[in-house]
Amino acid sequence: MSQFKGPGASVTPMQNTIFKHGRSLSHHGPEVTNDIKIGNHGQDARSLANTLSFGPRNASLAPSGQAPGSFSSEIKAVNFARVGIPGTPKLDLGNYANGESYSKHGLFSSEQRQNQLRDKINKETKIKVGSENLLEALIAKNAKQTKDQRQRVESELSLSNRKLTELNGLLDDEIEKSRRPTTPSRDRLSGLFQSSPIKSPEREEGLQQATGTEQEAESPSFVLDDILQTLELEGMQPDYYVERANRLVELFKRHPTLKYDLAWSIFGLRVQTMLLSDSREVVAAGYRVSRHAIADQRSLQTIRNLNTDDLVILSLLKDSKASIEREQALKFVRAFLDVKGGVEELSNAVIRTIVSVAEHHEDRLRNMGLLTIAEILLQNSSKAVQAGGIAPLADALVEGSYHGSEGLASVFLQLEDKPQSRAHLASGYELDGAFTPFTDPAIGRGHEERLKSNARLISAIFKTWPGLFAAARRDFMAIRSLLKSLQYPVPIARDLILDLLFDILHITPPSWTSSYLAGRRLTTYGRVANLKADSTELHFKAEVVGEENASFNLVEHFTTLLLAVLMYCGLVQALTDLVETCDDASLRRKTTLLLGEVLKLADHSLPQSTSASWQALPELFAEATEAMEADDDDGLASGMIYQIDRVARTIHRSSGKSKSHPAPVAGAMADSQPDPISVRPTDISNSRMSVDMDDLRFRSILLETQVLTTTNYLKWRWDLINDIIDGPLTNPRRLEESIKASKFMKRLIGFYRPFKYRFCEVRNTKPNQRYVRTGCALMKALLQTSEGITYLTESKLLRQLAECLAQLDRQSGLVAMKPLFSIERMADTLTGGYFTMLGSLSSDPKGLNMLERWRIVNMFYHILDSDGREDLIRVLLHNMDFSLDSHLRVMLSKALTACRKNIRIFATRLVRKYATTAARENPIQTQNTESPAWAIRLLVTQLYDPEVQVSEVAVQILEEVCNRTTQLEYVVRCRPALDHLGAIGAPLLLRFLSTSLGYRYLDGLDYITQEMDDWFLGRNDSYVTLVEASLSKALFTLPERPKSSSEDSIKSQDYGTVPPHFYRELSRTIEGCRLLRDSGHFEAFVATIRDSWDEQVDAEAILKVKGCLWAVGNVGAMELGAPFLEESDVVSWIVKTATSSQVMTMRGTAFFVLGLISRSIHGMEILAEHGWIGATDHLGGSLGYCLPPNLEVLLYMERQGSRPLLERKHVKPADEDDPIHARILAVVTDLGNTVLTKKAAGDLYNIKVKSPEYFNSVALFRKVMLILEKHSFRLQVRRFVVDLFDKGLMRRIVLEDESGNEC
């Protein structure tokens, strides 16, 4: 077909080109083009992505909006399977969205722009890191030889820094715009948008510009009538109808409420006419208009009365030349799923046709067909099962070629959850096909992508309760087979299985993993010092975990069960055998590392009686003993034991994770905002210089630094200078000698003087940060002695810094053409390092006196008042030390209350460091909370900030502060009012309940009784959704994205921990327990569990039981809540739920609740009476993990019932009066038999040749369509049968013109 040039021509040359070559409209998401265009749909169906890269530079390719039923052909991995979620999960459909999406300036487009900015930030960050590494390597070489290269790298690094600053600013602005809802401007058309989402003025203006002058002057109804009248004309070119159809779609997009008032008697007739057109593009436009006219279930019924079911079937059965028509037809069907109750309006014939499309591997719509069947299966399992939708989904799952295999698996997992949906799965082993590529080496060998896809799929299965139950069937056969497949000599399969085990056990490889796998020794220079530093840090974090308010980590409890299952299935033996038989050194090292991590995790998480036998590695030791007795020189077993022990010791040093030092809670000591200028601590060196050094040695070392030899700082040995500052210069005698007897100190201080333009001209790169670290160390060393204080006070360094700071003050009268602290210098050079050095001075009272002497603190106040220098204010606040009571705290208070919102948020986050760590640094003052009191008062003040974001950050920090009882009581004494914050302040109020002082405070506000009623009547049920969503996000971790400076980074993503619960906080105090007993709520929870623990059908009842289980578990986790457990004997019912409930997620919830109960000593004793074993540390304290006496008791679930047999209604030839009709129907039925297909096709063709008039019968056509609806046929067979009938038959059926058609 030639390209038409008319009203329906392409809006842009790019869109014209797309349709000219027949490219997909759905390859990159819904509605890639605004309209349907006429084009030549030949065989040149290349990717749309290839075309987009060659489009016009200024042409807009942004989606005009996501229409109902849209989809993307690139199906991505889906991470929505949840552990214990009763509701229907929502498939991640890529660009697919429910309802109409927003326009160019809408929220959807804003999210796209944010993702684009984040991608650019990631790219520039990689460039920056690469430039820094290259620059660091060049610095280690000869300076003269690499001068030009260093200059080029530094310029590239400066460019990256500027781009990163610009991109971060754009990302902050975009996030701020998306968070700020604004009221649209009122005009005469504003009433039409009342039911639409709130639009910004920019979007409103864009919509008004998009609306033509003619349409602005006319009402939408008038425009609709005008378009429908123009569609009455017959015999026009196809582009005429396509252009009108596109105008209709745009009208529905601009006025969403218009489709609710359609006159279907007229509108339906126009749609029918388009769907019966001989032009594929006109038919596609008809489907598109119909899709946008869908409003509710009633409109779907009206549309179906237009015989759209048969029309859709005929469109889907067409060949690949009609790609645009088939695609729009499938989009039209998918739009049914976006309407409440819409799946009920899908006929079995349409679903059967989609199933046949999904079964055809070469069909380009196969992936979309699979996705559509999956959604139908979730919304109405019976319809999908009756249409045979299970088979293509299971086949796609086994093949591994479908990109969204995790999404398909989640459908089966959802069906596995409850008995009534489980009955739809005939065998119950549909998920076992995911293990086939690993357990069958002939299939997996040479198919790396398939193996990777199935590895991701298995990981998704193991991270859900239904998946774990499915893998545990037949005595854990699937898991045992996976572990035994490590014996097959397929390196890629072995490597992927090891990665899979790392993933499902949530083992994060140590920082030295890559070096170890590459064959380097663990004792490499510098590595031991880092391990010690890491161990110290983790031991320090462990102190926080031991607090009484530590959260319960559900992910660790679930991982403990997974570990126990894997160990029971022979994980240790499988890894040991792999180490013995593997020839690949790297793979053997990786296995050894995993084995060490598994043993460490087992020692930490599993009960001692369970893990002790595995820790000994009995079989390996037996082999080593036999080899020693036989004088075997090979010593393979002994070498393995040595390697495992060496790795285990290294892991222990690097992580410090053991039963005596539990794993830290995520986010317990999260770092604050990243440093603008990083000041990293120097590594501990074994060659640190002694403070008491003789004169000769000291002078020799000064000469070795090259400071006395040359004034070129690039030739100085800065590592040696650092050692001198940290060592000998702390001795007053050596310091005096370096000042008076040599030029060492003079030249070193001269390097940092601003007007020397040496330090301040150094490029701001990662390797050059050593100059900043040395300057800070020098400031601290000089403050330690009286000689150093005198020298620093009289030096020109502080005087010149004060003068440069005065250049920023307009009232000082000092002006410079190029100020030292200009925006460009702060971004490109180490000028910002001066604030870091001033911060070192602010940590000492003597240094504060120096700052006050030169009026530097006054300059700081003026910097806070400066406009347009947010970068300077951030660097200033971040580097100052506010630990001492001085003017700096007043300055911080001013920044918290008087600066712009971004600065107030930044300063609020800065206070966190002092509010949460001050008491730890001053253990003597911990009891009276004197040290962090000033910071807590500032945070309480921030609760009343006019910006909600500032208050939200303050609430999150105060929550962390309240982890210590003494600080919690101080916060309560401040009597903060949180009513104006609503739900934002609710978590903090809950923390107040954990002390008697807070209880009395809240009781006086009448908060407790109201909150108790709220939780009892509804919040208890919504808590279930909250905790399960948190667990799902924790198990299916996503790659981290770069955060903007305005995003919240205070409260780390502590997904997977038990959220605060009202009844748990209430059970912390005697007064709260008394109120709980008087209210009778606990007894009501127990009664609900006792009466409905075996509920299988009612979703609301299941949700209610889960809410009661969490309430009981949170009460039982407290020591004061133990009497409630003993009096009600509720633990026995929870154990019964965990071992006998037919709902898998109900069992999982009960398992987690038992772990909560085991956190208290009395709860652990009660569980021991029922045979459950709790994990403890070496001191006997509970870790909150418990396991049943037998894993099969928890994970075994008997399948009840099976899928009901489908009743097939065959059309009997004997019922037909005409023998030819009967013969045709019988032969069509035989086409479903693969043995008779060829013969039946030949018979049908012969009948067609001899008696073509029979294939013009409407009655026969309807009976054939009924056979196609009731039986399963391949796509080619369906297409062959339909093509036998006359092409104009459908027009006669729709228009009911059947006169003289019967034979």
Side-chain angles (χ1 to χ4, degrees):
M1 183 183 295
S2 62
Q3 182 67 29
F4 288 89
K5 300 297 182 182
S10 178
V11 173
T12 64
M14 174 52 55
Q15 296 168 338
N16 192 5
T17 305
I18 292 171
F19 283 89
K20 181 177 180 181
H21 294 285
R23 298 188 175 98
S24 170
L25 285 176
S26 66
H27 185 72
H28 277 266
E31 307 298 330
V32 175
T33 58
N34 291 334
D35 304 323
I36 300 290
K37 281 62 175 196
I38 305 301
N40 180 19
H41 301 279
Q43 297 179 353
D44 187 14
R46 291 170 292 180
S47 171
L48 177 60
N50 297 333
T51 307
L52 293 179
S53 61
F54 298 97
R57 185 172 184 83
N58 296 323
S60 176
L61 296 177
S64 64
Q66 287 177 307
S70 303
F71 53 80
S72 171
S73 60
E74 288 293 328
I75 307 301
K76 299 181 180 180
V78 182
N79 289 332
F80 65 82
R82 299 178 180 177
V83 176
I85 298 181
T88 301
K90 181 176 178 61
L91 287 173
D92 184 4
L93 307 179
N95 291 333
Y96 171 78
N98 291 329
E100 299 290 338
S101 72
Y102 300 108
S103 66
K104 178 180 177 181
H105 297 284
L107 296 177
F108 180 78
S109 185
S110 175
E111 184 177 354
Q112 284 184 329
R113 289 194 292 271
Q114 291 180 30
N115 292 333
Q116 292 175 357
L117 288 173
R118 289 190 175 97
D119 292 340
K120 292 180 180 179
I121 290 175
N122 279 330
K123 180 180 178 181
E124 289 299 330
T125 302
K126 292 178 181 178
I127 295 175
K128 176 183 177 183
V129 173
S131 301
E132 289 176 345
N133 294 337
L134 179 58
L135 188 60
E136 197 167 354
L138 292 175
I139 289 177
K141 297 181 179 180
N142 191 306
K144 291 183 178 180
Q145 297 178 355
T146 60
K147 181 178 179 180
D148 295 338
Q149 294 180 358
R150 280 193 293 105
Q151 289 179 351
R152 288 197 298 269
V153 174
E154 286 178 352
S155 63
E156 182 67 27
L157 188 57
S158 301
L159 180 61
S160 296
N161 286 330
R162 286 195 295 270
K163 286 185 177 180
L164 282 174
T165 303
E166 181 182 356
L167 290 173
N168 283 318
L170 292 175
L171 181 59
D172 291 342
D173 295 340
E174 192 62 44
I175 293 175
E176 185 65 24
K177 289 180 181 179
S178 64
R179 289 178 176 176
R180 184 176 63 245
T182 57
T183 305
S185 57
R186 299 293 297 179
D187 58 5
R188 62 183 187 83
L189 293 178
S190 61
L192 298 173
F193 295 89
Q194 289 179 359
S195 61
S196 62
I198 295 177
K199 306 174 182 63
S200 65
E202 293 180 356
R203 184 185 173 204
E204 190 74 19
E205 182 181 355
L207 287 174
Q208 293 175 1
Q209 292 177 356
T211 314
T213 307
E214 177 183 357
Q215 293 172 345
E216 286 183 357
E218 299 172 348
S219 67
S221 299
F222 183 84
V223 175
L224 176 63
D225 294 339
D226 180 62
I227 297 176
L228 293 179
Q229 287 179 6
T230 57
L231 288 175
E232 291 183 6
L233 299 178
E234 297 181 0
M236 305 297 292
Q237 292 293 334
D239 59 344
Y240 174 86
Y241 300 103
V242 171
E243 191 271 338
R244 268 67 181 176
N246 289 333
R247 287 177 56 190
L248 270 179
V249 172
E250 293 301 325
L251 184 65
F252 286 139
K253 287 182 178 181
R254 292 194 302 272
H255 308 287
T257 59
L258 187 62
K259 58 188 176 184
Y260 292 95
D261 300 324
L262 285 177
W264 280 96
S265 58
I266 302 175
F267 181 80
L269 183 60
R270 303 296 179 268
V271 169
Q272 275 186 335
T273 305
M274 296 181 67
L275 294 179
L276 293 172
S277 174
D278 295 332
S279 172
R280 297 162 182 164
E281 288 76 16
V282 175
V283 177
Y287 284 125
R288 188 165 180 256
V289 171
S290 303
R291 172 160 50 94
H292 283 83
I294 295 175
D296 49 23
Q297 188 174 0
R298 185 177 179 181
S299 65
L300 291 177
Q301 296 170 355
T302 305
I303 292 175
R304 288 191 64 194
N305 292 333
L306 304 176
N307 293 301
T308 54
D309 288 353
D310 292 335
L311 292 170
V312 166
I313 293 173
L314 295 180
S315 296
L316 290 176
L317 293 180
K318 291 184 178 180
D319 55 18
S320 58
K321 295 180 180 179
S323 59
I324 186 173
E325 178 182 343
R326 300 180 71 231
E327 184 173 311
Q328 289 297 327
L330 188 52
K331 284 185 176 183
F332 172 71
V333 175
R334 289 178 57 80
F336 282 54
L337 304 177
D338 297 332
V339 179
K340 183 179 181 181
V343 69
E344 305 297 335
E345 301 301 327
L346 286 176
S347 65
N348 189 51
V350 172
I351 301 177
R352 283 265 188 197
T353 306
I354 299 176
V355 169
S356 67
V357 172
E359 290 175 339
H360 190 55
H361 293 267
E362 288 76 20
D363 199 299
R364 60 179 296 273
L365 294 181
R366 178 176 181 254
N367 287 346
M368 295 67 171
L370 290 171
L371 190 60
T372 305
I373 297 172
E375 292 187 17
I376 297 173
L377 190 60
L378 286 177
Q379 297 187 25
N380 192 323
S381 303
S382 301
K383 274 186 172 291
V385 172
Q386 289 177 2
I390 296 291
L393 294 180
D395 293 342
L397 206 62
V398 175
E399 292 170 4
S401 59
Y402 181 69
H403 297 298
S405 56
E406 295 93 327
L408 298 184
S410 64
V411 176
F412 289 103
L413 295 173
Q414 182 69 19
L415 296 179
E416 286 276 4
D417 187 25
K418 298 178 183 178
Q420 65 272 20
S421 59
R422 203 179 305 146
H424 292 305
L425 303 177
S427 65
Y429 304 116
E430 285 78 7
L431 292 173
D432 290 357
F435 298 85
T436 303
F438 292 100
T439 56
D440 189 350
I443 298 178
R445 184 178 286 108
H447 297 82
E448 182 176 349
E449 290 301 324
R450 180 177 178 183
L451 288 173
K452 290 181 179 180
S453 176
N454 282 76
R456 294 192 299 268
L457 176 58
I458 295 172
S459 175
I461 292 174
F462 274 127
K463 293 177 180 179
T464 62
W465 282 110
L468 184 57
F469 278 102
R473 291 190 181 123
R474 294 179 295 178
D475 192 24
F476 306 95
M477 179 175 292
I479 302 177
R480 295 180 188 273
S481 301
L482 181 66
L483 295 178
K484 289 182 179 179
S485 62
L486 287 171
Q487 300 175 5
Y488 297 133
V490 183
I492 181 63
R494 286 177 167 179
D495 188 64
L496 288 174
I497 293 176
L498 294 180
D499 291 337
L500 172 64
L501 294 173
F502 272 107
D503 180 37
I504 63 177
L505 293 177
H506 292 87
I507 297 175
T508 303
S511 57
W512 42 267
T513 299
S514 57
S515 300
Y516 174 69
L517 296 181
R520 300 175 186 173
R521 299 182 60 186
L522 295 178
T523 55
T524 305
Y525 174 77
R527 203 173 307 282
V528 176
N530 293 334
L531 293 180
K532 291 181 179 179
D534 294 342
S535 179
T536 303
E537 179 184 2
L538 286 168
H539 280 263
F540 175 68
K541 291 181 179 180
E543 298 176 3
V544 182
V545 181
E547 295 291 332
E548 57 186 358
N549 293 318
S551 299
F552 175 57
N553 197 313
L554 299 177
V555 176
E556 292 184 359
H557 194 195
F558 187 74
T559 305
T560 299
L561 177 61
L562 273 177
L563 178 63
V565 170
L566 290 171
M567 300 282 269
Y568 176 76
C569 294
L571 174 61
V572 175
Q573 185 61 39
L575 295 178
T576 304
D577 294 341
L578 180 58
V579 174
E580 291 179 345
T581 59
C582 183
D583 297 330
D584 189 346
S586 177
L587 192 60
R588 187 166 57 247
R589 283 173 169 263
K590 190 173 186 177
T591 308
T592 304
L593 176 63
L594 177 59
L595 183 58
E597 291 281 3
V598 166
L599 294 177
K600 182 196 70 172
L601 187 61
D603 175 62
H604 169 257
S605 303
L606 296 180
Q608 187 174 1
S609 59
T610 306
S611 65
S613 58
W614 289 315
Q615 296 290 335
L617 299 175
E619 296 185 4
L620 196 59
F621 270 97
E623 294 181 9
T625 304
E626 293 176 0
M628 293 177 61
E629 293 176 354
D631 294 334
D632 189 357
D633 296 334
D634 185 13
L636 178 60
S638 301
M640 286 178 55
I641 294 175
Y642 170 74
Q643 289 290 337
I644 294 171
D645 178 70
R646 189 163 65 101
V647 171
R649 290 176 181 274
T650 308
I651 292 174
H652 179 77
R653 291 200 310 270
S654 61
S655 66
K657 183 176 180 180
S658 63
K659 290 193 175 184
S660 58
H661 297 284
V665 176
M669 288 296 296
D671 293 332
S672 58
Q673 191 75 9
D675 296 1
I677 296 181
S678 176
V679 184
R680 297 176 300 175
T682 56
D683 293 339
I684 302 173
S685 176
N686 293 330
S687 61
R688 173 168 289 182
M689 298 180 184
S690 173
V691 176
D692 299 327
M693 184 181 296
D694 57 67
D695 297 345
L696 185 61
R697 174 63 176 160
F698 180 67
R699 292 168 187 163
S700 174
I701 292 177
L702 290 183
L703 290 174
E704 292 178 10
T705 62
Q706 302 297 320
V707 175
L708 302 178
T709 307
T710 177
T711 58
N712 186 357
Y713 68 92
L714 294 175
K715 297 182 179 181
W716 295 354
R717 293 185 56 186
W718 287 95
D719 54 342
L720 198 58
I721 294 174
N722 267 323
D723 291 339
I724 293 176
I725 293 174
D726 294 336
L729 290 189
T730 56
N731 188 333
R733 179 181 173 185
R734 299 301 171 207
L735 179 62
E736 183 179 2
E737 183 178 349
S738 65
I739 295 173
K740 298 181 178 179
S742 69
K743 295 183 179 181
F744 178 81
M745 188 60 65
K746 179 181 178 181
R747 289 188 175 179
L748 193 57
I749 289 291
F751 168 72
Y752 289 100
R753 282 169 52 186
F755 294 156
K756 288 282 188 177
Y757 294 104
R758 301 174 72 188
F759 171 78
C760 61
E761 292 295 328
V762 178
R763 311 297 295 179
N764 185 12
T765 63
K766 184 178 178 181
N768 290 341
Q769 295 299 319
R770 56 181 178 173
Y771 304 132
V772 181
R773 292 194 293 271
T774 302
C776 294
L778 182 61
M779 297 296 106
K780 293 179 179 179
L782 292 175
L783 290 175
Q784 293 180 10
T785 60
S786 57
E787 291 83 358
I789 295 173
T790 303
Y791 180 78
L792 185 59
T793 304
E794 296 176 353
S795 69
K796 297 180 180 180
L797 175 62
L798 294 180
R799 186 190 319 165
Q800 293 181 4
L801 276 177
E803 184 177 345
C804 293
L805 289 172
Q807 296 172 3
L808 302 173
D809 185 8
R810 298 177 181 177
Q811 301 177 358
S812 65
L814 297 178
V815 181
M817 293 294 296
K818 295 182 179 180
L820 181 69
F821 295 103
S822 63
I823 297 178
E824 294 76 12
R825 285 180 178 272
M826 291 290 294
D828 299 337
T829 66
L830 292 181
T831 303
Y834 284 121
F835 288 98
T836 310
M837 290 186 282
L838 292 176
S840 300
L841 294 177
S842 65
S843 62
D844 190 278
K846 296 181 287 293
L848 285 173
N849 292 334
M850 295 182 191
L851 297 181
E852 293 177 358
R853 175 183 177 183
W854 295 107
R855 304 293 189 270
I856 294 179
V857 177
N858 295 351
M859 308 301 175
F860 289 166
Y861 280 108
H862 295 306
I863 290 176
L864 291 179
D865 296 332
S866 60
D867 295 330
R869 293 306 308 271
E870 185 174 318
D871 61 324
L872 205 61
I873 299 175
R874 286 176 178 268
V875 174
L876 170 62
L877 293 176
H878 185 272
N879 287 284
M880 291 300 109
D881 192 336
F882 302 99
S883 301
L884 300 177
D885 189 5
S886 63
H887 281 287
L888 295 180
R889 288 189 182 177
V890 181
M891 182 186 72
L892 176 61
S893 178
K894 181 179 180 180
L896 288 168
T897 55
C899 290
R900 296 181 177 180
K901 185 185 73 171
N902 291 338
I903 297 298
R904 298 204 304 274
I905 294 176
F906 179 83
T908 305
R909 291 171 176 166
L910 198 63
V911 177
R912 170 184 174 271
K913 177 175 63 175
Y914 302 97
T916 58
T917 62
R920 188 183 298 110
E921 294 174 356
N922 300 278
I924 300 177
Q925 301 178 2
T926 301
Q927 297 300 325
N928 54 20
T929 64
E930 286 288 331
S931 183
W934 67 274
I936 294 176
R937 288 195 299 270
L938 291 177
L939 289 174
V940 172
T941 304
Q942 294 305 96
L943 295 176
Y944 311 109
D945 193 278
E947 293 289 342
V948 178
Q949 295 179 15
V950 180
S951 302
E952 186 176 2
V953 173
V955 168
Q956 293 172 356
I957 300 174
L958 286 173
E959 281 188 69
E960 187 177 352
V961 170
C962 293
N963 284 335
R964 291 178 176 78
T965 304
T966 52
Q967 297 184 16
L968 171 59
E969 292 180 350
Y970 186 83
V971 174
V972 175
R973 291 192 188 98
C974 294
R975 303 182 67 83
L978 301 174
D979 295 342
H980 63 289
L981 296 178
I984 296 177
L988 185 58
L989 290 175
L990 279 182
R991 303 303 297 270
F992 289 178
L993 281 176
S994 59
T995 63
S996 298
L997 181 63
Y999 180 90
R1000 291 192 294 269
Y1001 170 66
L1002 295 178
D1003 190 31
L1005 299 176
D1006 197 23
Y1007 166 82
I1008 299 178
T1009 55
Q1010 295 180 9
E1011 192 73 5
M1012 176 178 281
D1013 294 339
D1014 190 16
W1015 275 82
F1016 185 74
L1017 297 177
R1019 292 272 295 281
N1020 212 31
D1021 298 339
S1022 60
Y1023 181 85
V1024 177
T1025 305
L1026 175 64
V1027 68
E1028 290 178 348
S1030 173
L1031 181 60
S1032 177
K1033 290 181 179 180
L1035 289 173
F1036 295 93
T1037 53
L1038 299 176
E1040 294 184 0
R1041 65 179 186 180
K1043 292 185 177 181
S1044 68
S1045 57
S1046 62
E1047 288 185 282
D1048 182 23
S1049 61
I1050 293 297
K1051 193 172 184 179
S1052 62
Q1053 301 298 324
D1054 52 351
Y1055 295 129
T1057 59
V1058 178
H1061 198 285
F1062 175 80
Y1063 291 100
R1064 179 175 62 186
E1065 304 301 326
L1066 194 66
S1067 303
R1068 293 182 185 272
T1069 60
I1070 298 176
E1071 297 88 347
C1073 291
R1074 187 182 302 114
L1075 177 62
L1076 180 60
R1077 188 179 300 276
D1078 295 340
S1079 65
H1081 288 184
F1082 191 85
E1083 290 76 8
F1085 296 148
V1086 174
T1088 302
I1089 296 172
R1090 183 172 56 248
D1091 298 338
S1092 305
W1093 67 271
D1094 57 347
E1095 179 61 44
Q1096 303 177 8
V1097 180
D1098 191 354
E1100 293 185 3
I1102 293 175
L1103 183 64
K1104 187 74 173 178
V1105 174
K1106 288 183 178 180
C1108 294
L1109 285 172
W1110 282 115
V1112 170
N1114 278 282
V1115 173
M1118 300 293 102
E1119 292 294 341
L1120 294 178
F1124 292 94
L1125 302 178
E1126 295 178 355
E1127 295 170 3
S1128 61
D1129 193 27
V1130 69
V1131 176
S1132 61
W1133 290 101
I1134 300 177
V1135 171
K1136 190 173 183 179
T1137 304
T1139 55
S1140 304
S1141 176
Q1142 291 300 311
V1143 180
M1144 295 180 178
T1145 52
M1146 182 82 82
R1147 283 198 185 189
T1149 301
F1151 174 76
F1152 286 135
V1153 169
L1154 291 175
L1156 267 177
I1157 294 175
S1158 70
R1159 289 175 62 85
S1160 64
I1161 298 178
H1162 291 85
M1164 196 185 310
E1165 294 175 353
I1166 297 174
L1167 286 175
E1169 296 175 1
H1170 292 82
W1172 284 61
I1173 309 172
T1176 59
D1177 57 20
H1178 295 303
L1179 300 178
S1182 173
L1183 296 176
Y1185 315 138
C1186 65
L1187 294 174
N1190 188 354
L1191 292 176
E1192 294 182 353
V1193 173
L1194 175 66
L1195 297 176
Y1196 175 74
M1197 182 171 293
E1198 182 180 358
R1199 290 182 59 84
Q1200 298 179 354
S1202 59
R1203 184 184 65 179
L1205 295 177
L1206 300 180
E1207 182 181 357
R1208 298 190 177 185
K1209 298 181 180 179
H1210 295 270
V1211 179
K1212 299 180 181 180
D1215 297 338
E1216 293 293 329
D1217 297 334
D1218 192 326
I1220 302 297
H1221 275 204
R1223 176 60 180 165
I1224 292 175
L1225 295 177
V1227 174
V1228 169
T1229 304
D1230 291 341
L1231 288 173
N1233 189 333
T1234 55
V1235 178
L1236 303 176
T1237 300
K1238 187 174 181 180
K1239 181 179 181 300
D1243 293 344
L1244 275 177
Y1245 182 76
N1246 291 333
I1247 296 174
K1248 169 73 173 178
V1249 172
K1250 295 179 181 179
S1251 306
E1253 66 276 4
Y1254 283 97
F1255 292 95
N1256 293 331
S1257 172
V1258 174
L1260 180 62
F1261 177 79
R1262 291 187 183 278
K1263 291 178 181 180
V1264 170
M1265 294 299 291
L1266 182 62
I1267 293 177
L1268 296 180
E1269 177 183 354
K1270 297 299 181 181
H1271 297 271
S1272 177
F1273 295 94
R1274 292 182 293 114
L1275 180 64
Q1276 298 92 328
V1277 174
R1278 290 176 180 270
R1279 183 178 298 156
F1280 169 74
V1281 172
V1282 171
D1283 288 344
L1284 292 174
F1285 288 88
D1286 184 66
K1287 302 300 181 183
L1289 189 63
M1290 199 63 215
R1291 175 180 293 273
R1292 290 159 45 200
I1293 294 176
V1294 172
L1295 300 180
E1296 297 181 354
D1297 184 13
E1298 301 183 9
S1299 59
N1301 291 337
E1302 296 295 331
C1303 296

